């Protein structure tokens, strides 16, 4: 029997997805005179992304190691703990979430201390650099940046009884879609964990960089397509008919199949959650693996990461506008990454 909460969550997910399809086709009304327009800077000047590599083309995943220094990682963590707004923890898995200002320099009080100003300048610089990677500046309607902290979390035998999860993936798998807006996600890791502690960002539908397509990859990608067709943004929202597809993805993730990106302080990963046609890329199902206790590093700080969700500008949302915008962003990113080839 499906728990009432799981049924309610699945129903909400389906409602949001249907709302997204409807909103995407509604023509936008021009801003009324006197109302505030979205705050957006000039588009960043495109430049070569020499320190980046392509981890995968489906879904499209870019990676840059050493995007910021270890000292800068600690400053960003300090920004969360001192300046950020701590949010209610709803994920479990030892998770804490902080919301940061999208415009740290504008929101920073003129009388702020030097340390606050330094942290604000660093955050603004990081946001600008990520904007250059994506190829478009942030704007005020985007979701504010979040910092996530996951402390070590021992396995819970009852986790297997929670729909859409398993022992390695205690919060399941999902796609970043936010109705019709999100097309790419940037994750900047602020701490380092090895395979023993895990905490990886797992993409079960993605093949290893040095492998071609295999029957297993095709099965996982077919499962992702079936799960999205089932209106399941999250594996926990799968219907009875889609439960098999969710189970395939979860088992692949638990077995380490697909691509696992392990946290490394200063490493930036950018992945696109939409395809060239502007629709959600069902191969982008992903999730965070449990942070396990380390046998020789019992006092490790857990997993810290900064997450930014990039969204299609309001004026471009629509079936044609979204497709053209996302295709251009994907094409631009791939053309500027080193030699344009996978590792």
């Amino acid at each position: 029997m499906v728990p009432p909460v799981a049924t309610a969550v699945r129903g909400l997910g389906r409602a949001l997805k249907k709302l997204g399809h409807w909103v995407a086709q509604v023509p936008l009304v021009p801003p009324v005179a006197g109302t505030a327009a979205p705050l957006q800077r000039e588009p960043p000047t495109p430049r070569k992304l020499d320190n980046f590599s392509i981890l995968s083309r489906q879904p499209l995943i870019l990676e840059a190691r050493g995007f910021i220094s270890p000292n800068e990682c600690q400053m960003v963590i300090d920004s969360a703990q001192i300046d950020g707004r701590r949010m209610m923890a709803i994920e479990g898995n030892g998770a804490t979430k902080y919301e940061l200002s999208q415009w740290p320099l504008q929101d920073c009080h003129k009388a702020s201390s030097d340390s606050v100003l330094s942290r604000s300048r660093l955050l603004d610089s990081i946001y600008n650099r990520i904007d250059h990677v994506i190829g478009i500046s942030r704007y005020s309607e985007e979701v504010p940046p979040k910092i996530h902290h996951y402390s070590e979390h021992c396995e819970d035998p009852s986790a297997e009884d929670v729909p859409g999860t398993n022992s390695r993936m205690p919060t399941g798998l999902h796609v970043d879609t936010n109705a019709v807006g999100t097309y790419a996600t940037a994750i900047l890791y602020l701490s380092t964990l090895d395979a023993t502690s895990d905490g990886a960002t797992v993409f079960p539908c993605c093949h290893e960089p040095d492998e071609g397509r295999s029957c297993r990859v095709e099965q996982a990608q077919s499962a992702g397509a079936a799960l999205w067709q089932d209106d399941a943004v999250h594996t926990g929202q799968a219907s009875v008919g889609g439960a098999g597809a969710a189970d395939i993805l979860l088992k692949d993730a638990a077995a380490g199949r697909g691509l696992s990106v392990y946290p490394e302080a200063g490493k930036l990963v950018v992945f696109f959650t939409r395809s060239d046609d502007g629709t959600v890329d069902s191969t982008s199902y992903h999730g965070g693996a449990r942070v396990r206790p380390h046998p020789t590093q019992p006092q490790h700080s857990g997993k810290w990461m900064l997450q930014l969700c990039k969204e299609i500008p309001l004026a471009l949302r629509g079936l044609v506008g979204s497709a053209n915008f996302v295709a251009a962003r994907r094409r631009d990113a791939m053309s500027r990454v080193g030699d344009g080839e996978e590792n």
Side-chain angles (χ1 to χ4, degrees), residues 45-235:
T45 303
R47 60 171 179 251
K48 202 74 172 174
L49 302 175
D50 293 323
N51 296 325
F52 281 77
S53 59
I54 298 176
L55 292 184
S56 166
R57 293 182 184 274
Q58 190 178 21
L60 178 58
I61 307 175
L62 313 179
E63 177 192 70
R65 302 174 68 180
F67 189 76
I68 63 174
S69 71
N71 287 339
E72 290 171 329
C73 288
Q74 186 57 55
M75 286 182 66
V76 176
I77 292 174
D78 291 343
S79 294
Q81 296 178 314
I82 300 173
D83 311 316
R85 181 176 71 86
R86 183 165 179 164
M87 305 176 69
M88 182 180 297
I90 59 174
E91 297 181 26
N93 193 26
T96 305
K97 185 184 297 185
Y98 302 86
E99 183 177 285
L100 298 179
S101 168
Q102 188 179 19
W103 311 98
L105 283 180
Q106 294 184 18
D107 295 339
C108 185
H109 195 274
K110 293 182 179 179
S112 297
S113 65
D114 290 343
S115 59
V116 173
L117 288 171
S118 295
R119 291 193 297 269
S120 297
R121 291 191 186 101
L122 174 61
L123 285 177
D124 197 67
S125 172
I126 290 172
Y127 298 164
N128 287 338
R129 291 177 63 196
I130 292 176
D131 288 346
H132 276 280
V133 175
I134 300 294
I136 184 171
S137 299
R138 63 193 185 277
Y139 64 101
S140 56
E141 278 73 19
E142 288 186 316
V143 177
K146 305 288 192 309
I147 286 186
H148 302 257
H149 176 232
Y150 300 90
S151 58
E152 63 179 38
H153 198 67
C154 296
E155 289 190 30
D156 181 0
S158 65
E160 299 289 352
D161 298 329
V162 179
T165 70
N166 60 33
S167 60
R168 189 190 185 202
M169 313 301 299
T171 56
L173 300 162
H174 64 281
V175 288
D176 293 340
T177 174
N178 191 26
V180 298
T182 304
Y183 67 94
T185 299
I187 294 178
L188 179 59
Y189 297 104
L190 306 172
S191 60
T192 299
L193 295 175
D194 61 16
T196 302
S197 295
D198 208 346
T201 304
V202 183
F203 298 85
C205 296
C206 176
H207 64 76
E208 295 288 348
D210 58 350
E211 293 180 348
R213 290 182 63 84
S214 65
C215 292
R216 192 71 200 186
V217 170
E218 291 179 353
Q219 181 184 27
Q221 293 188 350
S222 295
L227 191 60
W228 181 248
Q229 189 64 33
D230 190 48
D231 292 335
V233 175
H234 186 280
T235 47

